[in-house]
């Protein structure tokens, strides 16, 4: 019993020898992921839950709080050991005001004050940012782009987006939508104006859905062993084996992507592009894009490298943002 | 005689009541321009000279020193009143090391230590930067872009280039060649690889020489009153009056330019593009580009405005850089 009382006292009155933690959150369209890390950024525990039927922001925040408590229990700690939390949200975020301005599909949030909701629920400093921006931050601080102050993270999954780090900081632009590269115009894309809410001209070719529609438009059983319903990663797998249609789709995707990279590299003069997302991580796409870029120019030759953190990039980025937030909020000695 | 001695004493031993000056220099392919300004940045005197037969950097520096002395004489001052000098150079510059890495046409400089040459000749702190970057700085500090921390300056003259200000600072990229937009690929440009030293795909359409070759390719006396040898600004003048071929060339130039602006705005999310250069300043081009951009998208609508400083932009930018240099170098009180 004596032992037990001592343990409760420790839990409610933290002292200097007690460890401190931060939480990183990745709010996906279908899945919520949390990770708890120590103040060196090392991940100690993870938790996830489905968000398929959850749209309401208050409910998402309650679910996050539930996950936080489960993670704390796993490391035998309590909420008083938490220094900060940071969340990666899909869509447009205003990190200065802590607001999710708009999410596209699935969540449908408009002007959700996510930072304030998290702070009210957990009583710790909170921060938010766009998920692709945080994936870039993760790669810059703890991934393949460490030591490269200026680089672009390409997120190629269902859609297409970019996170830009300049001088080791996330570059967001005046309305927080820098890196919206799905709309970029390169030779070969449709020049038709894009109705609001529709995928951009480049995304129509390079995003996962775009690759699928390229595939379906040209599908013919005489050209491929794969079915009409093949996924982009299956198409790229098959391209390596010499499948005619799969190779054609790989080459046309890589060419359009190399044009976009070329344009971005001309504007920003950045030496590195990090490929992320389920489609972007495919080695055949990276290799084919590298080849297309080499064909184009000897002058503009940024490195093209796969994400080191893979699907964890935005979660690790959220942890790094939480650590920054904890440091800013820490009382000065 | 008493008066004269006093005057010499003042000239060689400056005191607190004596005014201070800076010099801005614009090294063009055919013309050298200098301006002397007081420490508020107000231009008090100007001087220019031909550089047509001068390639050697030492000779250009001697010519600059000659101009400096003429300007100082105009305001009845001597070299001891000078606080700093800054020069805008055409081509790739490394402002950190003070080196002109390479100029394209005309000068043909390679790794010229221009800052050191100016400092050795004039015994004052010197700084250098690319001319388009300094034109952007001029517009940001003293022109149309004051109060807009992020914007792009488009220099459209014989060729095509951009200077980028982010957070009120020149953004140069890791090898000092950010903003090399003449090579950008948009729908309608040639996809052929560009041999080293040749104009980029976009510059082939939008630069002054590119507009001329569009014109000459389509020229036919049944379509226009203008001669085969018409200049871009004459073509744009005539487009306003309804000349068929002139209108076609204006529209195709504006469309390609609007695509490039759209791409840059997607990447940087910047709210303003400033049009400069002899071709870029033409009101018909700005208006037609604005129209093309409006047709393209309601979401991406940066402001397109003419340079306020016109052909003085890089010279005024050089003066601002000289003022910054003087402030950094000034002994702390």
């Amino acid at each position: 019993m004596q032992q037990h009382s001592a343990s409760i006292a420790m839990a409610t009155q933290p002292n200097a020898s007690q460890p401190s933690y931060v939480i990183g959150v990745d709010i996906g369209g279908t899945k919520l992921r949390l990770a708890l890390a120590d103040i060196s950024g090392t991940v100690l525990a993870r938790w996830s839950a489905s968000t398929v039927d959850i749209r309401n922001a208050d409910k998402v925040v309650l679910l996050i709080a539930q996950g936080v408590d489960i993670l704390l229990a796993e490391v035998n700690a309590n909420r008083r050991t938490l220094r900060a939390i940071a969340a990666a949200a899909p869509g447009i975020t205003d990190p200065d005001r802590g607001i999710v301005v708009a999410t596209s599909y699935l969540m449908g949030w408009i002007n959700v004050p996510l930072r304030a909701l998290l702070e009210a629920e957990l009583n710790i400093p909170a921060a938010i940012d766009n998920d692709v921006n945080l994936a870039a931050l993760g790669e810059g601080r703890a991934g393949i782009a460490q030591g490269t102050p200026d680089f672009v993270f390409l997120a190629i999954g269902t859609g297409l987006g970019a996170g830009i780090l300049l001088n080791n900081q996330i570059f967001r632009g005046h309305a927080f939508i820098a890196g919206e590269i799905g709309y970029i115009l390169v030779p070969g894309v449709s020049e038709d104006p894009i109705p609001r809410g529709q995928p951009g001209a480049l995304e129509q070719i390079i995003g996962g859905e775009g690759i699928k529609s390229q595939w379906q438009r040209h599908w013919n059983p005489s050209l491929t062993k794969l079915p009409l319903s093949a996924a982009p990663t299956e198409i790229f797998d098959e391209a390596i084996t010499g499948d005619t249609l799969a190779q054609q789709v790989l080459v046309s995707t890589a060419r359009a992507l190399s044009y976009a990279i070329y344009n971005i590299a001309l504007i920003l003069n950045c030496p590195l592009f990090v490929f992320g997302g389920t489609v972007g991580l495919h080695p055949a796409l990276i290799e084919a894009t590298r080849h297309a870029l080499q064909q184009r120019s000897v002058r503009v030759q940024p490195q093209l490298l796969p994400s080191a953190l893979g699907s964890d990039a935005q979660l690790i980025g959220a942890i790094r943002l939480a650590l920054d937030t904890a440091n800013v909020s820490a009382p000065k000695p």
Side-chain angles (χ1 to χ4, degrees), chain A:
Chain A
M1 286 300 282
Q2 195 68 16
Q3 187 61 34
H4 191 189
S5 300
S7 158
I8 286 172
M10 259 186 67
T12 52
Q13 292 176 16
N15 59 46
S17 66
Q18 200 175 23
S20 296
Y21 302 107
V22 297
I23 300 277
V25 181
D26 176 33
I27 303 171
T30 58
K31 201 169 158 190
L32 178 69
R33 295 190 301 159
L34 270 68
L36 177 143
D38 63 21
I39 51 165
S40 76
T42 304
V43 173
L44 303 175
R46 289 156 179 275
W47 178 85
S48 66
S50 168
T51 52
V52 168
D53 290 320
I54 303 174
R55 295 284 171 280
N56 183 287
D58 292 309
K59 287 193 181 151
V60 171
V61 169
L62 283 177
L63 196 58
I64 290 171
Q66 190 187 322
V68 166
D69 289 331
I70 291 169
L71 289 172
L72 286 169
E74 262 189 62
V75 296
N76 293 314
N78 62 35
R79 284 199 184 185
R80 303 199 66 167
T81 63
L82 281 185
R83 292 292 157 266
I85 186 167
I92 304 165
T93 59
D94 176 344
D96 296 344
R97 294 191 301 147
I99 287 171
V100 180
V101 178
T103 60
S104 42
Y105 60 108
L106 294 170
M107 310 294 287
W109 291 359
I110 302 284
N111 290 327
V112 168
L114 183 59
R115 182 175 68 198
L117 292 174
L118 288 169
E119 289 185 342
E121 180 61 34
L122 294 165
N123 281 309
I124 52 172
I128 65 160
D129 206 330
N130 166 268
D131 52 2
V132 181
N133 285 349
L134 286 181
L137 188 71
E139 291 295 336
R141 299 279 179 86
I144 195 83
Q146 287 175 81
T148 305
D150 299 354
F151 73 95
V152 174
F153 178 88
L154 300 171
I156 315 177
T158 313
L160 174 65
I164 302 171
L165 254 71
L166 299 180
N167 199 20
N168 292 311
Q169 304 296 319
I170 298 169
F171 179 77
R172 300 185 178 89
H174 85 115
F176 309 104
I177 53 170
E180 220 188 325
I181 62 167
Y183 292 82
I184 278 185
L185 295 169
V186 296
V189 306
S190 163
E191 291 178 61
D192 299 337
I194 310 292
R196 197 179 278 268
Q198 292 303 302
L202 188 65
E203 188 168 310
Q204 286 170 26
I205 298 181
I206 293 177
E209 288 300 316
I211 294 166
K212 273 202 236 172
S213 61
Q214 276 192 71
W215 178 258
Q216 286 160 10
R217 230 173 14 252
H218 298 107
W219 187 83
N220 183 318
S222 72
L223 295 173
T224 182
K225 286 178 291 188
L226 286 176
L228 182 64
S229 62
T233 50
E234 292 172 317
I235 296 167
F236 294 164
D237 284 344
E238 207 57 28
I240 302 171
T241 72
D243 185 278
T244 307
L245 185 59
Q247 278 194 330
Q248 281 172 18
V249 168
L250 174 63
V251 166
S252 75
T253 305
R255 186 176 51 229
L257 184 53
S258 76
Y259 287 172
I261 289 171
Y262 181 76
N263 283 351
I264 299 168
L266 286 167
I267 294 163
L268 295 178
N269 184 216
C270 58
L272 173 63
F273 287 75
V274 177
F275 281 52
T278 48
V279 176
L281 279 165
H282 201 288
L285 179 63
I286 301 176
E287 188 49 42
T289 306
R290 211 177 266 148
H291 180 72
L293 198 58
Q294 277 160 1
Q295 301 285 98
R296 167 114 289 277
S297 167
V298 289
R299 295 168 65 254
V300 181
Q301 284 297 334
Q303 271 198 293
L304 311 186
L305 296 175
S307 157
L309 305 175
S311 59
D312 270 356
Q314 55 265 52
L315 198 55
I316 301 297
I319 285 169
R320 295 286 158 169
L321 177 59
L323 288 168
D324 289 353
T325 307
N327 285 334
V328 167
S329 306
K332 295 289 169 287

